Amino acid sequence: MTDHSRPAYLFPELRAEPTTPPATVYTVANGDLRLSANLQCWPVQQQLESDVTVAVNDLGWQVVRAHAVDEVAGHGFIDSQRRGIEVFRDIPPDAPVVVVEAVWQYSHHLMAGLRSHRGPILLVANWNGTFPGLVGMLNLAGSLTKAGIDYSSLWSLDFTDQWARDGLRSWLETGKLVHSVDHVRSLPPLDPAVPEIALGQALARQLITDKAIIGIFDEGCMGMYNAIFDDELLNPTGIYKERLSQSALVAEMGRVGEEEAAAAKAWLDAAGLTFEFGTDEASELTPAQVHSQMKMYIAAVRMSDDFGLDAVGIQYQQGLKDTVPASDLVEGLLNNVDRPPVYSRDGARELYAGQALPHFNEVDEGVAIDALVTNRLWTAMGFDPANTLHDVRWGEEYDGEFVWTFMISGAVPASHNGGYRNSYSRRQPKMFFPLGGGTLSGCSKPGEIVWSRVYIENGSLQIDLGRGHVADLPAAETQRRLSMTSPEWPIMHAVLHGVGRDALMARHKANHVQVVYAPDAESADRALTAKAAAFDALGVTVHLCGDVRLVGPEGEN
């Protein structure tokens, strides 16, 4: 174990700046904060590190693992910010560093070390959906982008393929690896006479003038530095934060009546949602867990009404996970127009009646901006406004097109699955959620989508915006993909128009991607045009990705 009793910074005479041996790279393995996750994921991390080491050695370089395996803990991950700082103290500041990721990782563990590191940085992940290394790498990439830290990234099944070897050689020789992103182009001039453009610009003006409030139940979920948006960037768009405590949410849950919670569950039963119940609280979903979730749902809506919120985000993962069952079922309900009614404490008013209350999962504030704007635009156009984030989990070719497996760790709006009768609730994995709680899961229906991501780069808000569709894969293929990833969670078979696997991985600035349906392809093009106009009018830099058709004479392409 590391001795923290005599910090090295108090004894500068004991420290000398380490030097880098020739043709040497240093590897680090960042992990989860949760011991259970680090223990379960450690074997796949060992395999990836072995694959990367073989590839580097074959190119004539040697690998030094910058931190030892902790035999007491049972894994070799960096599992805290303090540990990350200690590890980087012993890495030569000009050395090439490879961050090897086969799992989800807490980016803030590495930010202190990477901010001050002078040498080239490479992020690598294994192309494997079973463990979310790709998700972790994309989050770290988005965090480094926000921080203005130069880095390169690379991904491969096992780093034996020529594409990956060539990329690794380029980085070792030059310190940089540049991928093609020629699928991205700037927003062309917009004609305000086009109805969709006029709508987007009008809604942007309304947002800036009337303003909106997003409720933050504890900021900074799971080390996602890229998901924290400073007020100075948010406020010019008309969006302001209400900072709330998850402890207050638990307190409000205690004030929800038993009959109210039971009524919400009965509503879901009547709507056709299937709950896959068992009896073992430690490993199965139980009625008591769902009853608690119904209390959280009612409490969250009431608190949103108390503060006049236009959107809300619950962190959950750290803090609430040790207190109450998971928030995921709550989150899926909030994002759906059709949901159990919630009334004011005196029963006089139905709160947010007939509306979705946009929830930005994992308090990702890039999602908050996107969800709020999308909700208002789609509502104005008469479309279902239910939108949600997904993790960019993994993908592979199917029947001639690259089909992504997008997954969210718990819940989607029921309308994305074709309604509650096509949805089900399973217990969240105990590795991440010790007190359980149900999901709102299903396979997203085939249809046309608009996808996007709001992120921070060069100190400004930017958005990548594209089109796609959800493929109608056979049930056996859906089950195969679920079994390879997380079978408890909702899945979307997404095809991004004009954006291949490597193009998205090279460009995307987050672990999350936002998706929303449109009735048909023509409607999706119209809605995307309105969305591009709205964000442009909000002062957000808009990038069009892949095959995007803007409507109107100025935008036809």
Side-chain angles (χ1 to χ4, degrees):
M1 300 296 290
T2 302
D3 179 11
H4 299 300
S5 62
R6 290 170 56 86
Y9 63 82
L10 295 180
F11 304 93
E13 71 278 7
L14 300 181
R15 292 191 51 78
E17 189 173 275
T19 58
T20 310
T24 299
V25 299
Y26 288 74
T27 61
V28 297
N30 195 24
D32 209 294
L33 187 68
R34 297 160 289 196
L35 178 61
S36 58
N38 284 333
L39 290 175
Q40 184 161 331
C41 298
W42 178 230
V44 71
Q45 176 70 25
Q46 290 177 294
Q47 182 60 57
L48 177 59
E49 290 188 35
S50 176
D51 293 341
V52 171
T53 297
V54 168
V56 173
N57 291 162
D58 287 350
L59 293 171
W61 288 60
Q62 64 174 331
V63 173
V64 174
R65 196 175 198 275
H67 50 108
V69 174
D70 187 334
E71 300 296 344
V72 175
H75 65 81
F77 290 110
I78 295 171
D79 56 4
S80 70
Q81 184 170 217
R82 170 55 61 191
R83 182 64 181 132
I85 289 172
E86 291 165 347
V87 167
F88 270 87
R89 284 180 185 153
D90 294 326
I91 298 176
D94 295 311
V97 167
V98 182
V99 183
V100 184
E101 292 301 341
V103 301
W104 171 254
Q105 51 83 56
Y106 280 48
S107 291
H108 79 292
H109 293 170
L110 298 186
M111 291 304 294
L114 293 176
R115 276 187 187 275
S116 58
H117 191 69
R118 300 193 298 260
I121 299 165
L122 177 67
L123 316 181
V124 301
N126 55 340
W127 198 262
N128 180 343
T130 302
F131 294 88
L134 296 166
V135 185
M137 187 190 77
L138 285 172
N139 179 258
L140 184 54
S143 296
L144 295 178
T145 296
K146 175 188 172 185
I149 300 170
D150 288 335
Y151 67 93
S152 302
S153 55
L154 187 62
W155 45 92
S156 173
L157 180 65
D158 57 12
F159 288 88
T160 61
D161 59 288
Q162 194 61 47
W163 181 83
R165 289 290 179 98
D166 288 345
L168 186 57
R169 179 184 293 107
S170 176
W171 182 79
L172 290 170
E173 293 176 353
T174 68
K176 290 187 178 296
L177 176 57
V178 179
H179 299 286
S180 172
V181 288
D182 58 6
H183 66 290
V184 181
R185 63 188 185 280
S186 300
L187 186 68
L190 299 177
D191 182 357
V194 175
E196 291 77 11
I197 293 172
L199 172 63
Q201 292 173 341
L203 282 172
R205 288 192 300 270
Q206 181 186 51
L207 179 57
I208 292 171
T209 301
D210 294 346
K211 301 179 174 49
I213 303 173
I214 58 173
I216 310 287
F217 277 105
D218 290 339
E219 205 163 40
C221 184
M222 296 190 295
M224 295 190 299
Y225 170 74
N226 69 314
I228 301 172
F229 283 48
D230 293 338
D231 297 55
E232 288 74 16
L233 294 177
L234 277 179
N235 295 167
T237 69
I239 298 174
Y240 290 76
K241 296 182 189 180
E242 188 74 53
R243 291 173 170 86
L244 304 168
S245 170
Q246 294 188 111
S247 61
L249 180 61
V250 175
E252 185 63 32
M253 289 172 63
R255 291 188 278 270
V256 174
E258 304 299 328
E259 292 184 359
E260 293 178 291
K265 167 63 165 55
W267 189 99
L268 293 174
D269 290 336
L273 181 62
T274 298
F275 292 92
E276 299 184 3
F277 283 136
T279 58
D280 182 6
E281 288 285 349
S283 61
E284 297 177 305
L285 181 65
T286 66
Q289 293 169 20
V290 173
H291 189 72
S292 175
Q293 290 180 299
M294 295 299 93
K295 288 190 172 185
M296 185 187 293
Y297 167 66
I298 294 167
V301 176
R302 284 180 175 161
M303 291 186 70
S304 296
D305 178 65
D306 289 343
F307 289 94
L309 303 184
D310 298 279
V312 63
I314 304 170
Q315 183 195 143
Y316 183 76
Q317 293 274 7
Q318 298 306 331
L320 279 189
K321 74 174 178 60
D322 301 310
T323 308
V324 291
S327 60
D328 299 277
L329 177 56
V330 177
E331 298 163 4
L333 296 177
L334 291 173
N335 278 323
N336 208 61
V337 173
D338 187 28
R339 53 184 177 78
V342 177
Y343 296 92
S344 56
R345 294 174 187 84
D346 61 4
R349 293 181 299 122
E350 183 178 351
L351 308 180
Y352 300 92
Q355 304 174 45
L357 172 57
H359 183 280
F360 44 106
N361 300 43
E362 299 171 353
V363 291
D364 185 335
E365 293 162 26
V367 171
I369 304 168
D370 203 336
L372 180 63
V373 172
T374 302
N375 175 277
R376 293 186 175 189
L377 280 171
W378 262 243
T379 298
M381 297 182 77
F383 304 153
D384 177 16
N387 65 101
T388 186
L389 67 83
H390 275 280
D391 283 342
V392 181
R393 182 67 181 262
W394 171 79
E396 65 181 16
E397 292 247 343
Y398 187 87
D399 197 23
E401 59 185 4
F402 192 86
V403 181
W404 287 95
T405 291
F406 286 171
M407 300 192 91
I408 184 173
S409 57
V412 293
S415 67
H416 281 207
N417 301 328
Y420 289 101
R421 295 190 182 281
N422 294 320
S423 305
Y424 52 86
S425 183
R426 293 178 176 171
R427 189 196 195 277
Q428 282 282 28
K430 63 180 181 180
M431 175 175 69
F432 299 124
F433 304 91
L435 299 183
T439 63
L440 205 168
S441 295
C443 183
S444 292
K445 63 187 179 182
E448 299 292 326
I449 59 171
V450 175
W451 66 268
S452 51
R453 173 65 200 183
V454 178
Y455 58 96
I456 299 172
E457 187 170 19
N458 298 323
S460 67
L461 295 183
Q462 310 203 23
I463 183 171
D464 284 1
L465 192 56
R467 279 273 287 109
H469 69 271
V470 180
D472 187 8
L473 300 188
E477 176 64 10
T478 297
Q479 189 56 48
R480 183 183 77 89
R481 291 183 176 229
L482 283 170
S483 66
M484 291 174 63
T485 50
S486 298
E488 303 88 353
W489 292 349
I491 187 171
M492 172 178 276
H493 303 309
V495 178
L496 307 185
H497 297 171
V499 183
R501 183 197 84 162
D502 297 333
L504 184 72
M505 291 299 299
R507 170 70 183 183
H508 208 62
K509 306 301 184 186
N511 47 314
H512 294 149
V513 61
Q514 196 75 2
V515 293
V516 61
Y517 281 91
D520 50 50
E522 185 269 338
S523 298
D525 291 340
R526 290 174 50 226
L528 182 146
T529 301
K531 187 167 179 174
F535 275 101
D536 180 60
L538 290 171
V540 178
T541 303
V542 179
H543 307 277
L544 304 179
C545 299
D547 298 334
V548 174
R549 178 186 176 275
L550 300 177
V551 300
E554 296 292 333
E556 294 283 3
N557 58 85

